[in-house]
Amino acid sequence: MTESSETAHTAVAWHDPKRYLWLIGLLVPLLPFISWGLVETTGLGVFWWTGLVLLYGIVPVIDHLFGKDTANPPDIALSWLEQDRYYRWCIFLYLPVQYAGLVFGCWLITHGDLSTAGRTGLSLTLGGVAGIGINTAHELGHKKESVERWLSKIALAPTWYGHFFIEHNRGHHVRVATPEDPASARLGESFWSFLPRTVSGSLHSAWTLESTRLKRLGKGPWTPRNDVLNAWAMSLALFAALTAAFGPGILPYLCFQAVFGFCLLEVINYTEHYGLLRRRTDSGRYERCAPRHSWNSDNVTTNVFLYHLQRHSDHHANPTRRYQALRHFDEAPELPAGYAGMILLAYFPPLWRRVMDPRVVAHYEGDVTRANIQPSKREALLSRYGHAA
């Protein structure tokens, strides 16, 4: 049997149990329509807050009830999985639904006779859609096909986070789990300290990376070929079009949803590498990124909504691998809950530290000095946990 026929035979014999579950991810961009339908049906304005209720209430509970899925596709089926275009369309469909929901949400805010609380709740729901849209952009932005990379920028436009396209691929994936990475949280660092550091650091890194690339081509940074500028131009065009259509009163709500959206991305970033450190080799370079440098979670519900983002170790080992083919690693450190539960915990630093700091120390076999420590907390952490002889 040839390799191609063996692969085809395996594909027929093995069926992806999550194949049709990935369509559930489209519930997220449908949230503005779902919220409107629930309000119209019940007359209860609280349903404008459906996005927050789903994100912080329903999904963590379902995550717990449905548990984990550590099953991996057989290695020989990976190539077949990568080539099946059905999985790409599950991602592609997010974008038109997302934009339709954004336009509909803007119309409701400006013409729907909503209360201030209702407009705030709907803006947060739109921000949740945009924030998870950044994860859609993350999946698309790692691919080699130009159409997917442009779709990534389109997905980032509602949050004005187009520079993520540059920083994540060429910055974070190089410096991950090191003190130099603005997107890797340090042991002892609260989310509220991490947030301004990662937002400003990622922006600075993206601009520097793109300026350096253009300089090698003999060009300055102020050119349409600057991928930071052309991504921001998409955001400017989007916001200008929505303002022209719905009036200047929509701008505060657009900005509000954008900030909530990119903060949602950053709180997920906070959980993914908290306290984990790649050590320097004798050459002075950092060791190769390995499964032990990312926190994983196999909670199936959040993984379906986030396109296997929680299988983060395999993603860092194989950045261009498509979400449906990402694998579980037994040696990767495991979060005690899915991302939906962990981001809620991250908002409360004392609870976060109580849950996660001992796990980081245990991951390093009691030697806290091997962790990526927040410099201002170093002495306190050494005093509390000590270190191995």
Side-chain angles (χ1 to χ4, degrees):
M1 183 181 293
T2 66
E3 183 177 352
S4 59
S5 61
E6 186 178 2
T7 300
H9 174 75
T10 301
V12 171
W14 179 83
H15 299 280
D16 179 8
K18 297 177 186 173
R19 182 176 179 85
Y20 298 108
L21 292 180
W22 300 116
L23 293 172
I24 295 175
L26 294 176
L27 286 175
V28 174
L30 284 170
L31 282 173
F33 302 101
I34 294 171
S35 295
W36 171 77
L38 290 171
V39 172
E40 287 292 302
T41 302
T42 65
L44 299 175
V46 70
F47 285 111
W48 294 123
W49 298 75
T50 298
L52 263 68
V53 173
L54 178 69
L55 177 64
Y56 296 128
I58 296 174
V59 173
V61 171
I62 296 176
D63 245 353
H64 177 72
L65 293 176
F66 281 82
K68 299 178 181 292
D69 169 33
T70 60
N72 287 331
D75 289 347
I76 201 169
L78 293 179
S79 176
W80 166 74
L81 270 175
E82 293 263 5
Q83 295 167 12
D84 190 338
R85 299 190 70 86
Y86 160 81
Y87 295 96
R88 301 186 199 186
W89 281 104
C90 291
I91 293 280
F92 294 164
L93 288 173
Y94 191 101
L95 301 184
V97 182
Q98 175 188 2
Y99 271 73
L102 179 60
V103 172
F104 184 56
C106 289
W107 183 88
L108 288 169
I109 289 170
T110 54
H111 295 86
D113 195 26
L114 276 66
S115 66
T116 301
R119 290 193 294 270
T120 302
L122 180 55
S123 296
L124 288 169
T125 294
L126 291 172
V129 174
I132 296 177
I134 297 178
N135 179 57
T136 305
H138 167 261
E139 173 66 22
L140 292 166
H142 274 292
K143 303 305 174 281
K144 296 177 181 179
E145 294 183 16
S146 61
V147 65
E148 291 180 279
R149 296 168 72 84
W150 275 102
L151 288 174
S152 175
K153 294 181 183 180
I154 292 172
L156 291 166
T159 55
W160 277 84
Y161 233 54
H163 57 279
F164 173 82
F165 175 83
I166 300 299
E167 157 56 22
H168 181 81
N169 293 301
R170 287 158 45 196
H172 173 63
H173 271 262
V174 174
R175 300 182 298 241
V176 61
T178 69
E180 291 78 21
D181 181 31
S184 293
R186 302 159 181 167
L187 180 66
E189 182 178 29
S190 74
F191 168 67
W192 303 110
S193 296
F194 171 78
L195 182 60
R197 181 174 73 84
T198 189
V199 171
S200 61
S202 296
L203 176 58
H204 178 267
S205 174
W207 185 261
T208 301
L209 287 166
E210 195 63 356
S211 297
T212 301
R213 180 184 73 86
L214 291 166
K215 187 176 181 179
R216 288 198 298 266
L217 298 174
K219 298 182 180 295
W222 302 102
T223 167
R225 295 185 64 181
N226 185 323
D227 281 332
V228 174
L229 292 179
N230 60 50
W232 286 347
M234 290 185 182
S235 296
L236 181 62
L238 174 64
F239 276 46
L242 292 173
T243 302
F246 300 106
I250 196 61
L251 267 176
Y253 297 99
L254 286 174
C255 294
F256 187 41
Q257 65 85 32
V259 171
F260 181 70
F262 72 68
C263 286
L264 189 58
L265 161 76
E266 296 299 1
V267 73
I268 290 176
N269 273 342
Y270 178 77
T271 69
E272 289 174 337
H273 306 281
Y274 178 76
L276 302 180
L277 180 66
R278 289 157 58 198
R279 306 195 74 174
R280 289 191 183 274
T281 64
D282 293 339
S283 67
R285 295 185 176 184
Y286 285 107
E287 63 181 319
R288 185 183 181 88
C289 188
R292 64 181 177 274
H293 298 127
S294 302
W295 289 99
N296 274 23
S297 172
D298 278 309
N299 288 79
V300 65
T301 302
T302 314
N303 260 328
V304 167
F305 275 107
L306 296 180
Y307 306 115
H308 264 163
L309 179 65
Q310 297 177 141
R311 291 193 167 183
H312 212 60
S313 293
D314 197 13
H315 168 66
H316 272 278
N318 302 281
T320 61
R321 175 167 286 165
R322 297 186 182 274
Y323 69 95
Q324 67 270 22
L326 292 174
R327 300 160 298 167
H328 161 83
F329 285 103
D330 289 333
E331 62 268 36
E334 184 80 4
L335 292 169
Y339 282 0
M342 296 306 298
I343 62 178
L344 187 58
L345 193 67
Y347 294 147
F348 302 95
L351 295 178
W352 174 270
R353 288 194 295 268
R354 180 176 296 182
V355 171
M356 287 302 298
D357 286 12
R359 282 177 165 80
V360 174
V361 176
H363 177 64
Y364 289 112
E365 299 173 321
D367 187 355
V368 71
T369 63
R370 293 166 58 192
N372 184 10
I373 300 176
Q374 174 76 346
S376 63
K377 302 290 185 181
R378 189 173 187 86
E379 292 303 320
L381 288 165
L382 288 177
S383 176
R384 179 172 184 179
Y385 292 107
H387 57 84

